[in-house]
Amino acid sequence: MKLSVNQPELHKALSFTHKIIPSKPQLPILSSVLFHADTDQLTISATDLFVGIKVSVDAGIQEGGTIVLPGKELKALIQSLPSEFITITAKNGTVTIKTNQTTVKLQTQNAQDFPEFPVIEGTSISLPTAQLEQMVHRAAYAASVDPTRPILTAFLWRLSEDKWEVVTTDGFRLAWQEFAPLQGLEDIQLLLPAKALTEIVSIAKQVSSELVEMKLDQNTKQALFKIGTVEKFVRLIDGTFPPYEKIMPSEFITKVTFDRQEIVDTLKRAMIFGKDSSQIVTFDILEDSVNISATSPTLGSFLDSIKQVAITGQTQQIAFNTKYLLDYLNTLSCDTILFEMNESLKPAQFTDPALISHRYIAMPFRVAT
Amino acid sequence: MDNTDSSQQFSPAEVKNIWQQMCAKLQPEITSSNYGTWVLANPVTEILYIDQNKLIATVTSPTAFHATNFKKNFDQIVSQSLGEITGKEVQIEYKIGNPNIRSEIPHPNQSSYIPDTANYNRSPQSPLQDTYDSPITNKQQIPETSVSTQPANSAFSFGPLTSTMSPRVEQLFSEATLSASSVDHEMAIAQNIGMRRDYTFSTFAVSTTNEMAHAAATAVSNRPGSSYNPLFLYGGVGVGKTHLMHAIGNNILHNNLQVRIIYCTGEEFTNEIVQAIQNKKATAFKNKYRNCDVLLIDDIQFIAGKNAVQEEFFHTFNAITQQSKQVVMTSDRPPQEIRLLEDRLRSRFEAGLMIDIGQPSFELRTAILLIKAKAAQLNIPIELAKTVAAKVDSARRIEGIIKKIRSEIELKRKNLDEHLIAEILKIEEPENKQQIRVSPIEVIKSVSNHFRLKQSELKGNKRLKHIVTARHITMYLMKKELQMPLADIGKWFSNRDHTSVLHAVRKVELDIVQKPDLHQEVSALVTTLRMISR
């Protein structure tokens, strides 16, 4: 193999593969990346056997071939090189990476040992990157990161003829969104890993791809996302998503409209005092104002009385983890926020009053009195 | 392996056994990392007969990557060694999935997912011990898509905080949240409609004065639209019209959450029309009212005299009743007595069932007091309840008094005894007394109508018992409600002396406490006077 490639191009590709490479793989070869050059194209691949990635890189290829190189070290090396052309040659199991100043020799591993990528069959569906980005931005934080509950680490896509519902939850809060139906995908429920979806959006933005092509293979339970020159293989998650419709309240007793910036500022202040008490913040909804308070056993206490609010319904008290609220509120840019609740220990809802297709449900905390 | 020809499929235990033998065979031949990734993670989970000599073994791989590479590197070796173990020709098929996937929500049949380890008969040192319980062995990092290695239940036992800390968050998908959501739903709907949840049939005390109304309301709430339509309840202040109406709404809602109920007062209806006209949203208004399943209108008499409102209500009423949807109305007087009510509306109201709810009797007031006290978790002895009921004429005031008693006990830590009751009743009285603005002649007219006497008889000198009582009540009302000087009152009754008037007033004051029926007559008369005074 002999080729030359621009440093920024190669670095970008390796930064994508880097995200996939497991830190302590059971199978040593999984910490490597595969370079495959045919007549006109260089493809770099990596996988942990659950997620896989293939990145095509523009390169001047003089001679094709396949090599396997240690992923981490190679990325660190390429990252440190100046922006210029890099030549890569492979001969008799030795790979030479050369720039004007630097010469590196590496042993290639046996390319035969590198796992083969599955063939994904299915029709391709185009998703606008902007839509995916919005979806991930509005909901990824609500997904769980607990690997023992894989279902909750997923985005639920529930597609039907008339709508496309997207839900994430970690069991304590839940983000729900609704989009126009996806043509070609009807009556299907998919569980896509939130981490993978977040990365797909990040890749799409980096390679400035306006569309993401998705292919689903229900037999092999794989999804393939084509983002410009990048192909990402994602294992769909098995199982049944919790019955989210059942816990989304449809009616509320108390409703409060806040100024979003004001409540965000208040919560940030409250967070200073919530540090020792699990970030608990208490809302006292009164007749014409809302008192937001937090107490720290060591520091003291905090109380904000928000007067610029529109309140309907009963006076109530409810407590939340500040982080849960800020996670959601920080994803918005609207001026006002509608908060709705039924009882102090029942799920409460936050919405942008102008956006009915996005709802956030948070489970309140029981505060010992 | 012993397999009878009749069995089409190997039992899980047999499959497991075969797989174990195969692992033992392969393990020495390949590196441990390859063995862990490619063999252990891709177990044979099913073996089927095609015919006498041919078998199909299904390998379940966690991902398509595993399946693809297993096929590429191990298909031959595995089919060969399986062939040696079973003595048949073996073909391999691939499936993606988890050999022991567990669903996130625990349910009673959960155990069916978990392999019954007791049947597997495997040696303790078997490398499979780990594998069947968790397809990803401990050595390998757990990628995001890995299967749950914890029993599903354990995921429910902890939150982001450990349970020993005081602030706790419940699971969003806990049983309690899931089951409470429907109750919440009903409650929230009732709240949004504007109905009080505590106004139900079970908290409504029934006696002779209101049993008809209660029976009709129960019938309507059980079969809205088909029993009595419209239902028109009328009666004085605090007789329980609104309570019955809310009870109808609550019961309908309890039976079916999907029923669209609108509850409003005649005044709210009027205001809404005015607003709708102002904002040019008359269509929305029409849609809202004409498409409901049950329309509950309190104090319908309020729309009388307002032509545009009556017009709209007429059409609304027709639209609803034509679809056999229920209409329930309350008023402080029967339709024929509502002044300035259009005839076409009056005739429609009268077409349904009209029921008069009388002033609660002394016994009923006592019962109401006891029910309400119980709801407020107040233990009032029946003697004290009687004292209150004797002094208080309307059920609504009873509610106020109970609240007062409660706050006195809770906040001022007073004992519930006669003194407290007397004190509260003393404070209560002036507050609730509305100035009645009627002329003395109207009092005389009302009383004579009530007792079916001629006005001249009432004012005259006849000393027949029933006339005297009526005369005394008239004097009493003039003194108590109109605050007329005794001498002036005397002038209306053939120039009687002020001492005679004083005697009459005192006598009524005394009798009113002792004779429940007299009290009822007086309170009914007061109510009538209030109506006129408005």
Side-chain angles (χ1 to χ4, degrees):
Chain A
M1 181 163 85
K2 187 167 186 189
L3 55 85
S4 71
V5 59
N6 208 349
Q7 185 271 345
E9 285 287 311
L10 186 58
H11 175 227
K12 198 200 246 174
L14 289 174
S15 71
F16 295 154
T17 55
H18 186 71
K19 290 232 166 72
I20 307 287
I21 295 171
S23 51
K24 282 178 194 154
Q26 191 190 19
L27 202 62
I29 194 123
L30 296 182
S31 60
S32 314
V33 288
L34 178 91
F35 279 56
H36 176 74
D38 48 25
T39 46
D40 56 347
Q41 185 156 269
L42 168 67
T43 312
I44 305 173
S45 325
T47 177
D48 67 356
L49 298 181
F50 287 85
V51 194
I53 195 164
K54 276 187 182 175
V55 189
S56 297
V57 186
D58 281 336
I61 298 167
Q62 290 172 15
E63 195 187 324
T66 308
I67 52 171
V68 176
L69 296 171
K72 266 215 170 94
E73 293 77 3
L74 184 67
K75 191 222 165 203
L77 170 72
I78 301 298
Q79 189 172 15
S80 73
L81 291 177
S83 173
E84 58 185 23
F85 273 95
I86 301 169
T87 43
I88 301 175
T89 45
K91 214 173 188 182
N92 302 329
T94 304
V95 179
T96 312
I97 298 169
K98 206 168 153 30
T99 68
N100 282 335
Q101 190 187 331
T102 315
T103 306
V104 173
K105 285 189 192 293
L106 289 167
Q107 289 300 310
T108 172
Q109 290 160 278
N110 186 357
Q112 280 300 307
D113 290 346
F114 197 83
E116 197 171 290
F117 277 48
V119 179
I120 309 298
E121 294 182 20
T123 48
S124 206
I125 289 151
S126 284
L127 304 167
T129 301
Q131 189 178 17
L132 279 183
E133 187 186 348
Q134 192 185 48
M135 176 194 296
V136 166
H137 175 70
R138 282 180 186 169
Y141 57 85
S144 171
V145 288
D146 177 0
T148 60
R149 304 184 70 188
I151 286 168
L152 299 189
T153 63
F155 268 78
L156 169 75
W157 285 13
R158 188 173 174 180
L159 294 137
S160 63
E161 263 175 43
D162 56 343
K163 63 185 169 192
W164 173 15
E165 284 180 277
V166 176
V167 186
T168 52
T169 178
D170 62 2
F172 303 102
R173 42 33 190 299
L174 177 150
W176 174 90
Q177 301 174 78
E178 192 183 279
F179 297 93
L182 262 189
Q183 284 237 307
L185 272 186
E186 276 136 26
D187 292 324
I188 189 170
Q189 290 204 23
L190 300 172
L191 291 172
L192 295 155
K195 196 178 149 208
L197 214 51
T198 311
E199 271 164 28
I200 286 162
V201 169
S202 139
I203 292 170
K205 280 171 74 184
Q206 288 181 57
V207 301
S208 317
S209 173
E210 281 180 16
L211 284 178
V212 172
E213 298 280 331
M214 181 178 76
K215 227 187 232 186
L216 286 174
D217 192 331
Q218 292 286 357
N219 287 329
T220 60
K221 296 185 180 162
Q222 283 281 340
L224 172 61
F225 292 88
K226 271 193 193 169
I227 317 124
T229 55
V230 182
E231 284 186 326
K232 180 141 178 158
F233 294 72
V234 178
R235 165 75 154 95
L236 298 170
I237 294 174
D238 297 315
T240 317
F241 203 74
Y244 68 93
E245 331 81 286
K246 282 195 187 160
I247 57 94
M248 287 176 68
S250 52
E251 307 280 341
F252 297 93
I253 292 170
T254 301
K255 305 181 181 195
V256 184
T257 309
F258 289 104
D259 181 282
R260 190 186 65 90
Q261 197 53 50
E262 187 170 17
I263 186 90
V264 166
D265 291 345
T266 296
L267 290 173
K268 281 181 180 160
R269 282 195 283 274
M271 216 162 174
I272 303 170
F273 291 82
K275 258 183 195 143
D276 309 327
S277 52
S278 327
Q279 304 289 15
I280 300 301
V281 63
T282 307
F283 285 47
D284 275 298
I285 298 154
L286 309 171
E287 294 275 314
D288 55 355
S289 64
V290 176
N291 284 349
I292 295 185
S293 57
T295 317
S296 155
T298 53
L299 212 53
S301 68
F302 163 84
L303 174 77
D304 250 20
S305 184
I306 300 186
K307 302 245 164 31
Q308 299 296 321
V309 285
I311 302 172
T312 58
Q314 290 175 6
T315 59
Q316 304 235 38
Q317 190 184 55
I318 194 163
F320 292 103
N321 183 331
T322 320
K323 187 183 170 297
Y324 283 6
L325 304 191
L326 286 175
D327 274 352
Y328 166 71
L329 294 170
N330 283 332
T331 62
L332 300 178
S333 56
C334 53
D335 294 335
T336 55
I337 263 298
L338 177 63
F339 163 71
E340 294 164 290
M341 66 173 287
N342 284 321
E343 273 177 53
S344 61
L345 292 177
K346 301 281 170 60
Q349 176 173 288
F350 290 82
T351 44
D352 167 358
L355 192 70
I356 54 160
S357 59
H358 180 30
R359 296 161 68 183
Y360 182 66
I361 314 286
M363 198 67 194
F365 273 70
R366 180 194 301 273
V367 181
T369 46
Chain B
M1 287 299 296
D2 296 330
N3 284 297
T4 56
D5 291 343
S6 61
S7 83
Q8 292 295 299
Q9 194 176 345
F10 284 71
S11 77
E14 286 167 332
V15 173
K16 188 110 190 180
N17 202 335
I18 293 169
W19 171 242
Q20 252 180 295
Q21 291 184 40
M22 209 204 75
C23 286
K25 239 172 126 93
L26 285 180
Q27 196 175 8
E29 292 175 25
I30 43 184
T31 64
S32 75
S33 58
N34 272 337
Y35 176 74
T37 310
W38 301 121
V39 181
L40 281 188
N42 301 272
V44 172
T45 51
E46 205 183 311
I47 302 175
L48 278 170
Y49 276 97
I50 302 180
D51 58 40
Q52 282 281 76
N53 301 313
K54 264 191 173 173
L55 297 173
I56 286 189
T58 306
V59 168
T60 303
S61 296
T63 72
F65 279 93
H66 287 91
T68 308
N69 291 285
F70 189 95
K71 197 170 181 178
K72 179 181 141 203
N73 300 323
F74 296 95
D75 192 271
Q76 263 204 313
I77 306 172
V78 170
S79 73
Q80 203 179 331
S81 36
L82 281 178
E84 284 167 23
I85 296 165
T86 57
K88 319 261 161 153
E89 197 179 315
V90 181
Q91 199 180 324
I92 297 181
E93 281 194 349
Y94 295 88
K95 194 175 107 185
I96 313 294
N98 294 305
N100 54 351
I101 182 169
R102 284 148 209 200
S103 95
E104 279 289 319
I105 299 296
H107 56 85
N109 300 328
Q110 190 70 56
S111 55
S112 61
Y113 279 109
I114 301 160
D116 190 352
T117 44
N119 289 340
Y120 283 142
N121 187 28
R122 49 185 192 198
S123 54
Q125 65 267 42
S126 160
L128 285 169
Q129 197 87 48
D130 275 338
T131 320
Y132 260 94
D133 292 334
S134 63
I136 289 101
T137 53
N138 309 340
K139 286 172 279 175
Q140 192 180 355
Q141 67 143 20
I142 300 166
E144 58 195 304
T145 48
S146 69
V147 236
S148 170
T149 53
Q150 303 269 326
N153 283 332
S154 75
F156 281 80
S157 59
F158 57 86
L161 301 159
T162 56
S163 53
T164 50
M165 294 170 81
S166 58
R168 282 212 297 134
V169 62
E170 301 291 322
Q171 273 280 338
L172 199 45
F173 299 101
S174 67
E175 282 300 316
T177 315
L178 286 173
S179 64
S181 56
S182 69
V183 177
D184 278 357
H185 202 164
E186 186 182 327
M187 203 163 74
I189 291 176
Q191 287 265 358
N192 284 355
I193 294 170
M195 293 189 307
R196 283 184 53 165
R197 292 287 288 165
D198 51 341
Y199 280 180
T200 60
F201 286 121
S202 58
T203 56
F204 188 82
V206 185
S207 163
T208 44
T209 54
N210 58 17
E211 63 184 347
M212 267 280 281
H214 175 261
T218 317
V220 163
S221 76
N222 286 332
R223 296 177 60 209
S226 48
S227 11
Y228 307 110
N229 205 6
L231 177 64
F232 192 99
L233 303 170
Y234 66 95
V237 189
V239 294
K241 303 182 300 279
T242 305
H243 187 142
L244 270 184
M245 188 174 242
H246 286 236
I248 292 174
N250 278 320
N251 198 31
I252 292 174
L253 202 61
H254 183 72
N255 292 338
N256 183 358
L257 282 178
Q258 305 303 320
V259 177
R260 284 160 299 171
I261 301 177
I262 295 181
Y263 167 81
C264 68
T265 62
E267 188 184 8
E268 283 162 0
F269 186 81
T270 308
N271 294 346
E272 229 176 298
I273 292 181
V274 174
Q275 261 176 11
I277 294 169
Q278 273 177 350
N279 304 335
K280 302 189 171 57
K281 281 181 180 157
T283 332
F285 175 86
K286 282 177 185 159
N287 284 341
K288 176 185 164 190
Y289 278 92
R290 294 185 190 177
N291 291 323
C292 70
D293 297 319
V294 177
L295 178 63
L296 308 172
I297 297 213
D298 220 347
D299 289 325
I300 188 72
Q301 77 275 1
F302 193 83
I303 67 163
K306 302 177 179 74
N307 287 338
V309 181
Q310 292 198 58
E311 170 87 26
E312 181 54 42
F313 186 76
F314 174 75
H315 293 301
T316 305
F317 184 92
N318 283 347
I320 296 174
T321 46
Q322 267 162 23
Q323 302 167 58
S324 347
K325 304 289 170 65
Q326 182 71 43
V327 179
V328 181
M329 289 167 287
T330 72
S331 161
D332 59 356
R333 66 203 91 168
Q336 65 270 20
E337 284 180 23
I338 303 178
R339 275 177 290 174
L340 299 172
L341 182 70
E342 280 182 24
D343 284 341
R344 54 180 182 173
L345 274 180
R346 180 171 300 144
S347 70
R348 272 172 176 76
F349 292 174
E350 289 170 355
L353 183 65
M354 289 190 297
I355 300 177
D356 162 30
I357 309 181
Q359 281 296 327
S361 64
F362 171 71
E363 292 84 357
L364 182 57
R365 286 202 304 275
T366 315
I368 292 170
L369 184 92
L370 290 172
I371 289 180
K372 301 225 183 229
K374 198 178 163 201
Q377 287 165 346
L378 240 155
N379 199 4
I380 295 190
I382 192 147
E383 285 310 313
L384 287 181
K386 277 185 187 164
T387 319
V388 177
K391 282 250 181 173
V392 178
D393 52 357
S394 89
R396 194 165 304 163
R397 278 188 61 206
I398 289 177
E399 215 165 316
I401 286 176
I402 291 203
K403 282 193 182 129
K404 275 228 168 85
I405 296 175
R406 201 172 158 71
S407 73
E408 292 283 318
I409 291 173
E410 279 185 353
L411 301 176
K412 300 185 185 161
R413 312 219 167 268
K414 290 189 177 168
N415 286 330
L416 178 55
D417 55 20
E418 296 145 58
H419 299 296
L420 179 66
I421 300 285
E423 206 177 302
I424 286 169
L425 289 176
K426 212 191 277 168
I427 308 166
E428 266 286 297
E429 220 127 315
E431 268 182 29
N432 273 322
K433 189 151 268 176
Q434 261 180 329
Q435 184 65 41
I436 293 178
R437 283 161 208 263
V438 287
S439 61
I441 186 80
E442 278 172 312
V443 178
I444 292 169
K445 201 175 149 194
S446 304
V447 178
S448 54
N449 281 346
H450 185 89
F451 291 101
R452 300 179 204 286
L453 298 171
K454 286 180 187 156
Q455 290 184 27
S456 55
E457 283 177 316
L458 200 65
K459 292 192 277 192
N461 286 319
K462 275 188 196 163
R463 293 200 161 266
L464 289 169
K465 190 169 185 265
H466 68 282
I467 301 179
V468 171
T469 312
R471 194 178 292 142
H472 284 171
I473 289 173
T474 320
M475 290 175 180
Y476 169 85
L477 290 173
M478 285 176 165
K479 174 68 193 153
K480 289 287 166 186
E481 302 298 332
L482 274 59
Q483 274 94 38
M484 287 168 66
L486 295 171
D488 289 3
I489 297 173
K491 281 177 194 156
W492 284 95
F493 298 91
S494 318
N495 271 326
R496 278 186 167 78
D497 191 65
H498 78 274
T499 49
S500 321
V501 179
L502 186 62
H503 165 76
V505 171
R506 287 198 177 143
K507 187 167 181 349
V508 176
E509 269 179 346
L510 200 67
D511 287 354
I512 219 165
V513 184
Q514 288 164 357
K515 300 178 185 166
D517 47 342
L518 181 81
H519 181 265
Q520 197 183 340
E521 307 254 25
V522 172
S523 68
L525 278 165
V526 171
T527 315
T528 319
L529 291 178
R530 282 215 177 105
M531 285 176 199
I532 304 169
S533 95
R534 243 196 247 176

